[in-house]
Structure formats: structure tokens, C-alpha cells
Amino acid sequence: MEQKKDFADFYITSPQPCPYLPGRFERKLFTHLNHGKTPQVVDHLLRNGFRRSQNIAYSPHCDSCNACVSVRVLAREFTTRRSMRRTLEANQDIVARRVPRVPTSEQYSLFGAYVDGRHLDGGMTEMSMLDYFTMVEDSIIDTVLTEYRVRPPGALPSEFSRWPLVGVVLTDRLGDGLSMVYSFYDPDLGERSLGTYMILEHIEHTRALGLDYVYLGYWIEESRKMSYKARFTPQEHLTTRGWVRR
């Protein structure tokens, strides 16, 4: 690991195999998020291409590659496509609720099923329950946990915690929008398109909060795993000229 001389508090990782593009190597520029950094500095980083992982903010800094593009959805202008409306209709029995940012064994079980079912070749497969708890709890900024549960017929709202848990999203609230840090859902409910549903619900929640954007992280045009992000339009991509509408 080498320290980037232009920024006393920033570092660059050594090259590692890229998890998205075979045959390429990735490097990350990163900094530690601690109480020595003002909320304004952290907010500026996360609104301008950095992503948060626990209390580290990072962005791609790869040699001879700029495939990773930061993407944000213009929530106020977003309109649902026909297929998205079908997804909303298919999930009318799901209730989303912002809950205390307290990790549970129930969430971890769902996380494990999701990773095993959808990302068995990814780095998350080695996460222990302690690692998961740390991912949820370790944040110095305004971070929110959303649970998605199926409401049984006749069930009372007060019984929410006993309804079947089918999805979870960890979200950072920024000055101008919501940044979806990590999401997971029941991999056996493919017909519900829960990944799409949770993004749609976050777009609506962003509007309700009076904010402008939903940050979806990095998009790589050549990666099939990330192709879904291009469906949420209008959106902006971060370029050398700043955020550009696509």
C-alpha cells in the first residue's frame, strides 16, 4: 500500500483482480471516515463519486481503466416503466419500514441466503455474523436500515417484526439524496423482482423526504451484473466534467 502524496489522508491499495471485468486489475483510492472529518467533508466525498464501506470512503483508481461510473437517479423526474409498474403490483403485500439500525440474526440469515444464491463468487461469502453486525453498526454518518416484510392477510401493523422478512437495505442519507450502500433479499422470490422493487421504494422515499437523488453506486457498461442500474432513468453519470445527464 502506498500513500498518495497529493493527499496526506488518502491512500491507494495495491492492484487486485477486478471482480467485474476478467483479466483486469483494480485499485482503490480510500480514506478513513472518522470524527476528525467534518460531516460536510464526508457528505462531499459521498456526493462526488466515493462509496462508503463501514468507516472507509473509497473510489476506483485503476491504471488505464475508467469503466466504473458513479450513477444517480433523478428522483423527482423519475417515471415507472410498464414492467416496473408490474413489479409494484406484484409486491403490494410488502411493507417497508425504517427500523433502528440494530443488526439481527434474522437479517444475517437472509443475507447469507442472498449471498449463497446470487453472489457465491463474491467477497461477501466470507462475512461472519460479526462482520455483518459491524457493516450495519459502523457508520459515523446518518445511516438508515430498511426492512421489507410480507404482510399476512389480516395481520396488524404492530406485528411487523413477526412478518416474513424478504429484503433489507442499508442506506446513507446525504445532503441531496439517499445512497443505497448495500441491499439483499430472498433469492427464492425471483418472480417478485425484489431488487427492482427496493430501488423503486427508495426513489419514492427520496421524493417524500424532499431530496433529489438516489445514488446507486458504480455502473460498468460491460458488466451484466450491473446492467439493471441503467433501467432507472433519467439518471446522471459522474464524468470529468461533473455530473452529466443520460
Side-chain angles (χ1 to χ4, degrees), residues 16-151:
Q16 300 291 331
C18 177
Y20 297 105
L21 299 177
R24 301 193 195 182
F25 289 84
E26 67 168 3
R27 303 182 80 184
K28 291 185 174 73
L29 176 69
F30 73 94
T31 185
H32 296 280
L33 302 180
N34 51 50
H35 294 287
K37 290 185 173 64
T38 66
Q40 292 79 10
V41 168
V42 176
D43 190 70
H44 179 78
L45 287 171
L46 299 181
R47 290 167 63 175
N48 288 276
F50 279 76
R51 295 289 288 171
R52 185 183 67 82
S53 176
Q54 298 178 37
N55 280 326
I56 290 177
Y58 67 91
S59 70
H61 195 81
C62 305
D63 300 326
S64 304
C65 181
N66 57 0
C68 291
V69 179
S70 292
V71 173
R72 66 186 187 187
V73 181
L74 282 70
R76 296 179 191 269
E77 300 180 43
F78 176 80
T79 56
T80 55
R81 301 181 180 184
R82 181 180 300 177
S83 62
M84 293 176 177
R85 290 194 292 272
R86 287 197 295 266
T87 295
L88 292 173
E89 291 172 2
N91 292 291
Q92 290 183 15
D93 57 342
I94 289 181
V95 175
R97 185 174 293 183
R98 282 9 105 169
V99 299
R101 189 159 48 87
V102 178
T104 66
S105 57
E106 182 186 28
Q107 294 167 8
Y108 179 69
S109 294
L110 182 63
F111 169 81
Y114 171 77
V115 171
D116 290 345
R118 295 298 180 97
H119 298 284
L120 196 54
D121 57 345
M124 292 289 196
T125 56
E126 300 178 0
M127 284 187 67
S128 65
M129 182 179 290
L130 178 61
D131 293 330
Y132 172 76
F133 278 36
T134 300
M135 180 178 74
V136 173
E137 294 176 325
D138 202 4
S139 172
I140 67 168
I141 65 173
D142 187 0
T143 300
V144 177
L145 195 65
T146 305
E147 288 187 345
Y148 298 82
R149 294 180 180 271
V150 176
R151 181 175 183 171

